[in-house]
Amino acid sequence: MLPLLSHQQTLEPVYVAFLEALEQSEYSGDIDKRYSARLVQATDNSVYQFLPQAVLYPKNQQDIQIALTLAASDAFRSVTFSARGGGTGTNGQSLTHGLILDVSRYMNRVLEVNAEQGWVRVEAGVVKDALNDVLRPHGFFFSPDLSTSNRATIGGMINTDASGAGSLVYGKTSDHVLALRSVLIDGSVLDTHPLDAGRLCNPDNVSDNPLGQKLISAVAAVCREKRTQIEKQFPKLNRFLTGYDLKHVWNDSLTQFDLSRILTGSEGTLAVITEAKLNLTPLPTERAMVNIKYDSFQSALRHAPSLVAARATVVETVDSKVLNLAREDIVWHSVSDLIQEVPGKVIDGLNMVEFAGDTVEVEQKLASLETVLIEQISKGECGVLGYQVTQDKPSIEKIYGMRKKAVGLLGATKGRRKPIAFAEDTAVPPEKLADYIMEFRAVLDGHNLQYGMFGHVDAGVLHVRPALDMCDVEDEKLLRVISDQVAALTLKYGGLMWGEHGKGVRGEYGPAVFGDELYGVLQDIKGLFDPDNRLNPGKLVAPKQTGALYYDVDSVKRGKFDRQIPIEVRDAFPDVMNCNGNGLCFNYSSYSPMCPSFKVTGDRVQSPKGRAGLMREWLRLLEAEGVDVNALAKAKPFGILQRIQNTINAKRDYDYSHEVMESLKGCLACKACSGQCPVKVDVPKFRAQFFNIYYQRYLRPAKDYLVAGIEDSLPLMAAAPRLTNFAAQNPLSQWVIKKAIGYVDAPALSVPTLKQRLDGHASRGYDLAALQAIPEEARSQFVLVVQDPFNSFYDSGLVLRFIQLIEKLGLKPVLLPYKPNGKPTHIKGFLDKFAKTAQSSADFLNQVHKLGMPMVGIDPALVLCYRDEYREVLGANRGTFEVKLANEWLLNVIKDLPAKAPQDKQYTWFSHCTESTAKPNTANEWTKIFAHFGAKLTAVNLGCCGMAGTYGHEAENLERSKALFEMSWQQTLAKIEQPQVLVSGYSCRSQVKRFAGYKPKHPLEALLELANI
């Protein structure tokens, strides 16, 4: 039986006292002490796991000042802080055992855009891509690029001096920082910007902050004094290193000093950056990308210097492992035409070369490169197999989208060993990169490791991720061995182990790079800013008087906790275990389907990454209690009286399972994660597994039984639809249903019913024997319509019109008997009932499948359930039946039909979340179908509509459901005439009807209209 679970991770007394004092102060932000919130912030995109004491979400700079001022009192001098943005660090950069200061929830505004002077002022929590959305209409962009740009914050970029594609031209973040505003450890505010050397003689001229005056004077003096040593010791690289930039605080002529250069790349160890003034780059008028294909990765590497010499803006490389993983991902449909195979050749390396600038310049560079490539291909030189050019901006962005996803795609590697980040952002002089990588590969090959490689060859940065199993103690030891070897190898080639993503826990390698004298200077600077070592302690350097760093590459990793979960349990919950912290589910854009519950709450607990992390801890705690989870999943529930008592006591007795439930019940089960996530984390799947176990101990809410029973009840209710509608739709009944069951806005049954609409129609009267008697050569003329509960009983007119469309196309429709699909029971975790329903339907559909007639369903979510959840639950017992989506079926049908003449008809198609993520090519298919019927169809990219099956009908979700609709659907619908709006998902059409006030058409209805013209 499921026991009460306690985590035993209580807060330290000093933090309890501090947080109580903070709550009593004028602090206006959020204070989150939930274990779930702490767990979610205990990991980033690295292998490490440090549990914080609590998470603070300041609403403004004043909140940060209040917190640090309070912590400056003697009673709280042991309280430590770490600022956090997107949490995309690959080496534990923002992880801490103290307090997290997360600026991403509230401090995410663009404060001022000055297009005339080409700068912008922002808060530290604004996401990089969100900033560029604001800048684009002004003709500018913030040019330092990185693969996590849709969730990484500007504050995080500044703290790690981030850069990425095109850094040879666009530079690093530090090259664009004009000024910073930061809160120092004493709670005071310091503004930093370039200062003429003459002003440094008088402290009052440099800052009105006394501590700031001391810092500026001391850092300026020591960096000037050590200038010769700094020039000699620091690596000569395009990329700089975090911790600390002694070289660039002074300009080359020593006439200007800027303390911002010390703060940029300091990883939050010196101050909490709250605002930044950044210079901007004009958007290029012309862009062109050349995708060059090679016979080997080594050929791609060795060819790169000549591409840089061709004055390319960007040169990016990926190896065959990354390419092959991309081919298996949702992203490939968008780039397959841009990276076509070379007949008779195997592509084992790819260079993506971009030229950007004015039209004449780009055309000249492109023509010059093409001339060289054509000659090299004809002579069989440099391993070049072929190339493709695109000058279409959306296509270029799709290529970059694939490259950016490469980081996460490596996590999808099969097997227990997964490519992980720990030595993957090394930088060496570009001309040495190929030789360096060959030695790097020899190191990994010597340990018999698999790995993937991609990166910025123009800057000498290549991301190499060796595959290790962090649940294996020996592999964890190997991580240390490889780290040491790579650190030594980069020094040999005049490079750095941390060339792009920050240093994090790798501070131990600092002395070898800086030398003892300059490393001592770094310690002194840390001591000036943070004498008690309380800002992100344990990272980069520690003040001399506080001892050695207490974080290193051997620090506590996620694997220490994961290996406490038995292998057979890990195998039963692969989606939980495979989440690698990539954080793509934190995508900021309301026009992305990933992840609606996080977007609407801003709570990382309400995200796929958060849910996977909480589930891992749940599995670990169950094992600690000696509970076999696999056996528990098959156990019978407590008796009804015991469940009633447990539910009554739930508010009194802490149970970690409640925190997991709070996270999972916020999931819309839209399945965007299963398609959009690079490692295909399927939250609805393990959500159903958890519900199934949780409700063995506690009572289910009444609405769960309502949802789970709807498919069985509908035929009975449809026997008297008007009576049912009267009983359910009158105001009193709706009030009772809302208060007693928690269900709102339930749709009315169709009147007339589908049975009534098709009375006497040839499609009715399914007879298997009669169908079996049809000659095989005639069976291709028949189409079997698979019913679903929502369209058949709530939108029967659509089913009728689909049947009419089939007839209009010269085919013979047969309406199959209604069989429950089971999707609602799966969503609510009634797994036993779902398995029985699925097996019953599968048996029936397999029998019909033998007829060799196409079976077609209307609703995407229900059709895709046959492919996904059925296969997962039934395995081999599912059989081989296939139910096609309407667009899949039509795509084949129109091959044999003459195309209609173009008509003056335009439509806009709105996709269902499950459909757009599981079948990303659906928009192209509908577009092709409508073109065949003589009409133009435009697809729009949107986030979730907020309905997601029955989620939007549950009273507790109503506000979130409406907010999600308003994020992207409402404003997009307002721009389009109602007759032109087409929506394929039943739940989406219901949401439009509820909040936009009209019922949009399904694409099939529009096609019938076109066919009748």
Side-chain angles (χ1 to χ4, degrees), residues 41-44 46 48-50 82 84 91-97 100 536-537 539 551:
Q41 300 276 27
T43 58
D44 54 5
S46 73
Y48 299 96
Q49 181 166 326
F50 306 160
S82 179
R84 182 167 174 141
N91 281 279
Q93 280 82 344
S94 62
L95 302 186
T96 183
H97 289 104
I100 293 283
N536 204 7
K539 314 290 176 56
Y551 291 136

Side-chain angles (χ1 to χ4, degrees), residues 367-379:
S368 177
L369 178 60
E370 285 196 82
T371 300
V372 173
L373 290 175
I374 291 170
E375 182 177 356
Q376 289 174 336
I377 293 170
S378 66
K379 294 181 178 180

Side-chain angles (χ1 to χ4, degrees), residues 548-567:
L549 290 170
Y550 53 84
Y551 291 136
D552 58 24
V553 297
D554 293 323
S555 291
V556 177
K557 301 175 183 65
R558 200 187 102 180
K560 173 187 175 182
F561 305 97
D562 290 354
R563 72 174 64 110
Q564 297 173 35
I565 304 170
I567 290 177

Side-chain angles (χ1 to χ4, degrees), residues 345-389:
K345 303 290 184 180
V346 176
I347 303 172
D348 273 343
L350 181 75
N351 275 333
M352 296 168 284
V353 184
E354 183 186 353
F355 298 104
D358 64 61
T359 302
V360 174
E361 176 190 15
V362 169
E363 292 293 348
Q364 288 176 345
K365 291 179 180 179
L366 179 60
S368 177
L369 178 60
E370 285 196 82
T371 300
V372 173
L373 290 175
I374 291 170
E375 182 177 356
Q376 289 174 336
I377 293 170
S378 66
K379 294 181 178 180
E381 295 177 347
C382 303
V384 179
L385 302 177
Y387 72 92
Q388 284 178 254
V389 178

Side-chain angles (χ1 to χ4, degrees), residues 96 106 174 269 471 483 770 925:
T96 183
Y106 297 118
S174 58
T269 61
C471 288
S483 291
E925 293 177 358

